[in-house]
Amino acid sequence: MIRNVSHHPLAMRLALSLQHLLAVFAGTVFVPIVLGLSIPLALLFSGVSTLMFHYFTSGKIPFYYGSSFTILAGMTFIHHQAVGRGMTDVLADCYVCLGSLFIGVIYLLVGQLLRMVPREKVIRLFPSTLAAPLIMVIGIDMLFSSTYSIRTDWLAGIVTIVAVALAQLFFKGRVRLFSIFIGMAAGLVLSLVRGTFSLDALRGAHWLASPFDSDFMAFRVLEHWDVDMAGIVFVTVLPLAVIALSEHVADMIVISCTAKKNYLRIIGLPRSISASGLATLLAAVFGASQTTAYTQTTGLIRLNRICDPSLLRMVAVMMIVLSCCPKLTALISSIPVAVIGGITFIMYIMVIWVGWCTARLHEKKNRNARSLVIIFSTLAAYAITALLLDGGLRVGSIRLTSITVAFITGLVLHLAIPNRAALTPQEEHASDEDVSSPTGLADHHDEPQKPQA
């Protein structure tokens, strides 16, 4: 695992950052497109939220922040409820931003409350047994969305996927780090030859424009305040906040296993959750959707084995610049949907693989069937809800998504099934050292990585 790329040339670091930006761009703009929010604002606060998170967590966790998919169904419900009460689409979007603001406040409250709870109890409440299947479920859910994109042009999507796979198999050293670029280049060349790739959108785009749009600010709901609608927003986002928090903890556990560093002990959940809350709060105030740590970042780290957070800060700066330049946004948006779908397909395959490896690591340490029961029951709950119940389970007036049902199933089983093979404190400490670094040395004294041949 490469932890420090500062010794590499600046051009190479910029190229690696641009590769990551292209991998997360589609997900960042998809949520505001569905909700009707401002795309430049989503790009701006994707970068701002990432920089804020890195600042409050000492720049040690390789997280990139973007628009959250886990709250999409709930926010769509809020928008439809507001429109059904006679509100305009713009005002409905303001109530959507109010929901994101509530989630940010809940994050901050939970982050501060966790400061009063011993860290070991928090980790035991949400262990790898539950984190691994949740990450796998998120990867599977997002995998379906990427296949919808590939369907627009099967040939371009498949060529992109195959090119990335071949680059990973046959290339070595620095060239292998750019497998995403190689796959995207193959898809673009094919699209160009077939005439499905055009740059016409660049002609009418300006070079510079402000990303801010006062129409979507959360506090605009005060101009047309509706107490009942505010109550609907709060009731809707309360379970969404629980799921989003669970996804954050799962990402922390999985990135720790992937990067071989125990970020739960180095940084701690109170700081990381509070930082996420501040980022979401700021984004909602200015009219952007809730931001969250991107799970596909873990997939990309697994793919190119680079976990240097400085690269993600460079991506954040690039995204901020992109939000102020409509012509660059139009350039990236002109990439065929199937090519982007092929890239995200690879990312989510890696996310599922990371979740499976985390599950196997936990099973190897505990050596009992309890974790397998929880993992497969969680996956089964997701599959049944997604395939047989049309992607959701209605409980009264609330519709639980497949991911929510899977998480609740796993959490209930985790709390209900006694863990007779639980690790002793000494074994748990030894396990943490194994995750922190392969040699058992302290996390803060990693030796600088040598450049790859």
Side-chain angles (χ1 to χ4, degrees):
M1 191 67 66
I2 303 174
R3 304 185 189 278
N4 185 4
V5 296
S6 60
H7 51 271
H8 289 295
L10 177 61
M12 181 179 177
R13 283 179 282 154
L14 289 173
L16 288 170
S17 301
L18 179 59
Q19 178 178 247
H20 198 112
L21 184 148
L22 294 173
V24 301
F25 180 83
T28 303
V29 301
F30 177 77
V31 173
I33 288 174
V34 173
L35 297 177
L37 297 173
S38 170
I39 293 177
L41 274 177
L43 298 176
L44 173 67
F45 283 98
S46 172
V48 171
S49 299
T50 300
L51 294 178
M52 283 185 62
F53 179 83
H54 281 245
Y55 175 78
F56 286 107
T57 56
S58 304
K60 294 180 178 179
I61 305 178
F63 271 174
Y64 184 81
Y65 269 59
S67 304
S68 174
F69 282 81
T70 54
I71 67 165
L72 185 56
M75 293 304 182
T76 304
F77 173 78
I78 292 173
H79 185 277
H80 291 163
Q81 287 292 313
V83 171
R85 299 173 73 88
M87 300 181 185
T88 63
D89 285 333
V90 173
L91 186 57
D93 286 331
C94 291
Y95 274 97
V96 168
C97 293
L98 180 65
S100 296
L101 188 146
F102 285 158
I103 292 177
V105 172
I106 293 172
Y107 263 67
L108 286 173
L109 291 176
V110 171
Q112 297 308 306
L113 288 174
L114 287 179
R115 294 181 182 275
M116 308 175 190
V117 181
R119 185 169 8 189
E120 289 74 15
K121 290 186 177 181
V122 176
I123 296 174
R124 285 178 180 175
L125 179 64
F126 197 90
S128 302
T129 309
L130 193 53
L134 182 59
I135 290 296
M136 292 174 67
V137 162
I138 293 172
I140 295 170
D141 197 69
M142 295 298 101
L143 193 65
F144 289 140
S145 66
S146 64
T147 56
Y148 289 130
S149 301
I150 296 174
R151 288 179 186 178
T152 60
D153 189 344
W154 280 107
L155 185 58
I158 292 174
V159 166
T160 302
I161 295 171
V162 171
V164 174
L166 291 177
Q168 283 288 309
L169 288 173
F170 296 107
F171 290 135
K172 303 295 181 182
R174 292 182 179 180
V175 179
R176 187 180 181 184
L177 300 178
F178 294 99
S179 56
I180 298 296
F181 265 144
I182 294 171
M184 187 169 292
L188 286 177
V189 169
L190 178 63
S191 300
L192 189 62
V193 170
R194 300 175 65 206
T196 57
F197 176 45
S198 174
L199 297 177
D200 293 339
L202 273 69
R203 295 175 182 173
H206 299 286
W207 278 106
L208 191 64
S210 173
F212 291 99
D213 192 338
S214 59
D215 290 340
F216 299 104
M217 295 181 68
F219 288 118
R220 282 207 61 194
V221 298
L222 298 177
E223 300 175 8
H224 306 277
W225 183 248
D226 187 328
V227 177
D228 294 335
M229 187 62 213
I232 292 173
V233 171
F234 182 76
V235 171
T236 303
V237 302
L238 195 57
L240 295 180
V242 175
I243 301 301
L245 282 167
S246 305
E247 181 189 5
H248 177 87
V249 180
D251 284 330
M252 288 283 287
I253 293 173
V254 172
I255 197 66
S256 297
C257 295
T258 303
K260 307 298 183 185
K261 275 194 170 187
N262 196 333
Y263 294 113
L264 291 173
R265 291 191 177 277
I266 298 173
I267 299 299
L269 285 176
R271 283 178 64 185
S272 65
I273 291 176
S274 298
S276 297
L278 284 173
T280 295
L281 195 62
L282 183 66
V285 166
F286 286 96
S289 60
Q290 187 222 347
T291 55
T292 185
Y294 264 167
T295 307
Q296 59 260 47
T297 298
T298 307
L300 188 57
I301 289 174
R302 182 79 180 188
L303 189 68
N304 60 19
R305 302 188 62 80
I306 299 177
C307 61
D308 188 350
S310 65
L311 280 182
L312 301 180
R313 292 192 286 272
M314 294 176 70
V315 176
V317 174
M318 287 181 176
M319 198 70 84
I320 293 172
V321 173
L322 196 64
S323 69
C324 301
C325 184
K327 194 172 285 290
L328 291 177
T329 305
L331 175 63
I332 296 179
S333 300
S334 64
I335 298 174
V337 175
V339 176
I340 296 295
I343 297 300
T344 55
F345 184 88
I346 292 289
M347 293 295 98
Y348 292 126
I349 287 291
M350 297 308 300
V351 168
I352 297 171
W353 176 248
V354 168
W356 174 249
C357 291
T358 304
R360 291 193 62 185
L361 177 65
H362 182 84
E363 172 63 20
K364 187 183 297 185
K365 290 177 181 177
N366 286 291
R367 300 182 184 89
N368 65 348
R370 176 180 179 273
S371 59
L372 289 178
V373 171
I374 295 174
I375 289 168
F376 286 110
S377 298
T378 304
L379 295 175
Y382 170 80
I384 292 172
T385 310
L387 299 177
L388 302 182
L389 301 179
D390 196 22
L393 176 64
R394 187 166 294 279
V395 180
S397 59
I398 301 176
R399 187 174 185 272
L400 303 178
T401 64
S402 304
I403 296 178
T404 306
V405 173
F407 167 71
I408 293 174
T409 302
L411 183 61
V412 170
L413 290 175
H414 168 62
L415 297 176
I417 301 176
N419 189 7
R420 295 188 177 90
L423 298 177
T424 64
Q426 293 79 9
E427 292 173 332
E428 186 177 358
H429 179 69
S431 171
D432 289 333
E433 287 183 348
D434 291 340
V435 173
S436 300
S437 61
T439 60
L441 299 176
D443 294 309
H444 304 286
H445 297 87
D446 292 326
E447 294 181 0
Q449 301 291 320
K450 297 180 180 179
Q452 292 188 359

